[in-house]
Amino acid sequence: METMKVKPWSEDQGDYVVINKADFDQDIHEAFDEKAANAPAKTPAEVLAMATDTGVHFKTFQAEARKVLGENAPSTKDDIIAALTALQA
């Protein structure tokens, strides 16, 4: 059976989750983009812009924030925004 990588839906799942391609549901899953995951981290300002972009899924925003803030980054959107704003000060 063919498999694919999707973005994790909980923090304890690592960088991606492997699922059967037949089980992919675009309303639930977001495909994992290996090239994007290995791209250089964005600046705090770029990540903050993602917070208000309605086309950016929260998990994508959170993953980019972790690249900037480190593994101990806050878990809520408001706390992430505050931490990124503090970096710019």
Side-chain angles (χ1 to χ4, degrees):
M1 184 165 278
E2 193 173 359
T3 61
M4 67 181 292
K5 295 176 184 177
V6 295
K7 293 186 179 180
W9 49 88
S10 80
E11 293 183 21
D12 62 342
Q13 293 178 310
D15 294 333
Y16 59 86
V17 177
V18 177
I19 63 169
N20 293 329
K21 199 167 192 173
D23 294 333
F24 180 79
D25 180 341
Q26 68 182 12
D27 293 331
I28 299 170
H29 304 110
E30 187 175 350
F32 177 77
D33 183 352
E34 199 123 13
K35 288 180 185 174
N38 294 325
K42 296 181 180 339
T43 66
E46 290 171 322
V47 179
L48 279 170
M50 294 173 70
T52 57
D53 185 340
T54 57
V56 176
H57 190 277
F58 172 71
K59 288 292 184 182
T60 303
F61 166 69
Q62 186 179 43
E64 289 299 326
R66 274 202 186 115
K67 289 180 184 177
V68 174
L69 299 171
E71 286 302 312
N72 293 324
S75 59
T76 66
K77 186 174 184 176
D78 290 340
D79 289 342
I80 292 170
I81 291 170
L84 290 168
T85 301
L87 274 182
Q88 295 189 95

